[in-house]
Amino acid sequence: MQERKERDGERKRFLRQMGGAAAVLLALALLTGCSSGRMETRREIERIKKAAESVAEDRAATHILEKYGIEAVAEGYWVQAYNDFFAPNVNSNVVVFMEHGNRKFCVGIDVDDETVLWDNYQREETDSALQGYLRELYELPPAYRAETVFRLEDAPNYSVATPAEWREKGYAHGNMVDFYFERQTAEELLARIEYLEFHDSWLSMEQSLETISFDAEDWPICEGGYIEWNLRLYASPEAEFVDLSAGYPDIGGFPYFREWRRICLRDKGTEGQEMSDEIFAFRSLETEGITITSRLPYEIEDIIEISEGEAQWEISQGEEHIQAYRLVSHIFEVTENTPDSNYATVMHVSAEFTAQYEGPLYILSREKETGKVKVMKQISSQEEMDALPEAESNRDYKIYFNGTCGMSAGFQYAVAEKTGA
């Protein structure tokens, strides 16, 4: 009996050892295969980079000379292939950054195929044709700011974002085409476009965006095509800063938006076309230099309750220390729950309001259920905002970013200054 147990134990140990050895061999095989594949990928990427070094700029310059009859200067190039350990990109496309006179543009080439040539030298002319079509079709005034982003249905696989070093020099590699623009109609252009975004903004317009009637038949997009309109109305000139910096107007645009309408048209092949439409109206209420703006589906007066300011609110900073804040504004309260974001209702404290006080001001919130108070934001002085360095990411936002706070139902908000401990 004892001998049988010993034999069974030896057999199990042997099997465990063999299993361990097999696992090691399998891991080595996998690593060898992965290493081999990674080395092959690395060699292919290096080949593309060397090919780009020898042909990219010359081929791009020759293309522009033959197509437009101009001699443009190549300022550098960007190889789309890159060697990332987890997700390397073997891509033979190269973007060349060109300059002619005061115009900066891009040419796209394929180092393995001399027939693949794209450029956006005529992007302004193409944009003008598409924007003009939109304005004429819907009888819209000239846009305060307009931007068009599109991709042709047979466009090469170009990466989306232009590298920062080239973007800062004024280059963008979007809206590249493989044809010569000769005043083709917008309908002809749309038939070749797979993806299209319009961003049109107006500083003031009597007509509401709700009155514009969109019809899918107005847009002959190609099979599988997609079009997105972003139409925006602003209430003040600060829209320039918002338009440049804010990707989501329901957050960044307070308190400068009046309306924002987004319409999407998608062609689903044999299933037909599908259109979605949403519009947000931005309503504002101002009192004593403080503006409350909302994009909820209610009138602003119906969702904001204003009461007289109390003497002070206190914040506990430990068992023995209470910090007091003297309220310098009314108390504001949102009475309706926001369906999707805290920023559906926003408080904005103007620079004129803060200039009345020597010390810093704070936006406080108080939870109605518990009475707990906390500081939401310290409002910087205009001098502090102006002193932000040029490279500071918030600099573009200084017009509206400082003194702006998202509001939620169930809380009360007020502006205050700190008193002595």
Side-chain angles (χ1 to χ4, degrees):
M1 186 71 176
Q2 182 64 28
E3 291 180 1
R4 191 191 311 171
K5 287 183 178 179
E6 291 177 356
R7 285 198 300 271
D8 289 344
E10 290 177 359
R11 187 184 305 112
K12 290 178 181 179
R13 283 194 296 273
F14 175 76
L15 291 174
R16 282 198 299 270
Q17 291 171 354
M18 291 298 293
V24 170
L25 290 172
L26 177 60
L28 288 173
L30 290 173
L31 286 172
T32 302
C34 289
S35 298
S36 176
R38 190 159 56 247
M39 289 298 294
E40 181 61 31
T41 297
R42 187 179 299 170
R43 283 193 291 268
E44 179 64 8
I45 292 173
E46 288 302 316
R47 181 195 68 79
I48 292 170
K49 290 182 177 180
K50 288 182 180 179
E53 185 178 351
S54 61
V55 306
E57 294 186 355
D58 289 342
R59 191 182 294 176
T62 300
H63 164 68
I64 294 300
L65 179 62
E66 293 177 351
K67 185 175 181 180
Y68 301 108
I70 60 175
E71 294 185 356
V73 178
E75 299 292 338
Y77 61 89
W78 169 34
V79 179
Q80 298 279 283
Y82 55 83
N83 187 24
D84 182 271
F85 182 83
F86 295 103
N89 181 29
V90 180
N91 189 332
S92 56
N93 292 315
V94 178
V95 175
V96 183
F97 302 99
M98 311 287 291
E99 187 168 352
H100 176 73
N102 61 355
R103 183 173 293 197
K104 295 181 178 182
F105 59 98
C106 299
V107 175
I109 74 163
D110 186 323
V111 297
D112 294 332
D113 188 345
E114 294 186 17
T115 65
V116 176
L117 291 162
W118 298 66
D119 69 86
N120 58 11
Y121 179 76
Q122 293 181 302
R123 67 173 179 260
E124 293 180 6
E125 293 86 342
T126 309
D127 287 353
S128 178
L130 292 170
Q131 292 283 349
Y133 179 73
L134 172 72
R135 290 195 295 269
E136 182 178 348
L137 185 64
Y138 299 113
E139 299 181 348
L140 300 176
Y144 169 73
R145 184 172 299 280
E147 181 185 4
T148 308
V149 179
F150 64 78
R151 181 179 66 247
L152 297 183
E153 59 180 327
D154 54 346
N157 181 27
Y158 288 113
S159 296
V160 177
T162 307
E165 61 178 301
W166 291 103
R167 192 166 61 246
E168 291 170 359
K169 295 177 182 178
Y171 290 96
H173 74 287
N175 296 10
M176 290 207 285
V177 300
D178 62 346
F179 58 87
Y180 186 84
F181 179 73
E182 296 180 292
R183 298 188 179 278
Q184 289 94 332
T185 64
E187 289 90 340
E188 292 176 288
L189 296 174
L190 288 166
R192 306 182 65 169
I193 290 175
E194 178 183 299
Y195 178 81
L196 174 66
E197 280 185 35
F198 275 128
H199 296 271
D200 291 83
S201 307
W202 297 274
L203 182 60
S204 62
M205 188 173 75
E206 296 300 325
Q207 179 185 13
S208 169
L209 295 181
E210 290 185 283
T211 64
I212 303 174
S213 177
F214 283 85
D215 190 337
E217 295 180 357
D218 297 332
W219 301 87
I221 58 177
C222 67
E223 184 175 340
Y226 176 83
I227 291 181
E228 177 181 317
W229 296 269
N230 282 279
L231 306 181
R232 305 172 182 178
L233 294 184
Y234 294 101
S236 64
E238 287 82 2
E240 176 184 0
F241 292 89
V242 183
D243 227 21
L244 286 172
S245 306
Y248 298 95
D250 56 324
I251 297 175
F254 288 109
Y256 307 114
F257 275 107
R258 283 179 49 207
E259 289 181 340
W260 172 45
R261 186 174 180 184
R262 180 172 177 265
I263 308 97
C264 299
L265 172 64
R266 184 185 297 276
D267 184 275
K268 305 181 74 173
T270 56
E271 299 179 28
Q273 292 185 339
E274 179 181 87
M275 180 179 281
S276 60
D277 191 348
E278 57 182 348
I279 184 168
F280 298 107
F282 296 81
R283 304 178 176 92
S284 295
L285 181 154
E286 183 175 349
T287 174
E288 298 181 343
I290 297 176
T291 304
I292 307 295
T293 307
S294 175
R295 66 170 182 80
L296 289 175
Y298 314 100
E299 292 298 329
I300 186 72
E301 292 81 1
D302 295 335
I303 68 167
I304 294 296
E305 184 175 298
I306 303 175
S307 59
E308 293 293 330
E310 301 173 11
Q312 67 178 30
W313 283 355
E314 296 180 342
I315 299 179
S316 175
Q317 297 181 331
E319 295 182 0
E320 300 180 356
H321 185 67
I322 300 294
Q323 178 63 61
Y325 291 82
R326 186 179 70 85
L327 302 192
V328 297
S329 76
H330 293 307
I331 298 174
F332 302 89
E333 180 182 340
V334 181
T335 60
E336 297 287 346
N337 286 315
T338 57
D340 56 357
S341 168
N342 290 341
Y343 296 95
T345 305
V346 161
M347 167 192 280
H348 179 79
V349 183
S350 68
E352 290 76 17
F353 183 94
T354 59
Q356 302 175 64
Y357 301 90
E358 294 184 0
L361 296 183
Y362 302 82
I363 298 178
L364 306 182
S365 73
R366 181 170 65 179
E367 191 172 357
K368 288 190 66 179
E369 185 175 343
T370 65
K372 183 179 179 180
V373 178
K374 67 177 180 179
V375 176
M376 298 297 293
K377 179 189 287 287
Q378 177 179 342
I379 304 174
S380 303
S381 67
Q382 192 61 45
E383 290 74 15
E384 291 173 313
M385 295 298 289
D386 291 339
L388 287 174
E390 292 294 338
E392 172 64 43
S393 61
N394 287 341
R395 185 171 178 82
D396 287 343
Y397 293 81
K398 68 178 183 179
I399 296 296
Y400 67 88
F401 186 83
N402 192 40
T404 300
C405 174
M407 303 171 68
S408 300
F411 292 83
Q412 295 174 324
Y413 298 85
V415 181
E417 59 181 357
K418 188 183 294 186
T419 65

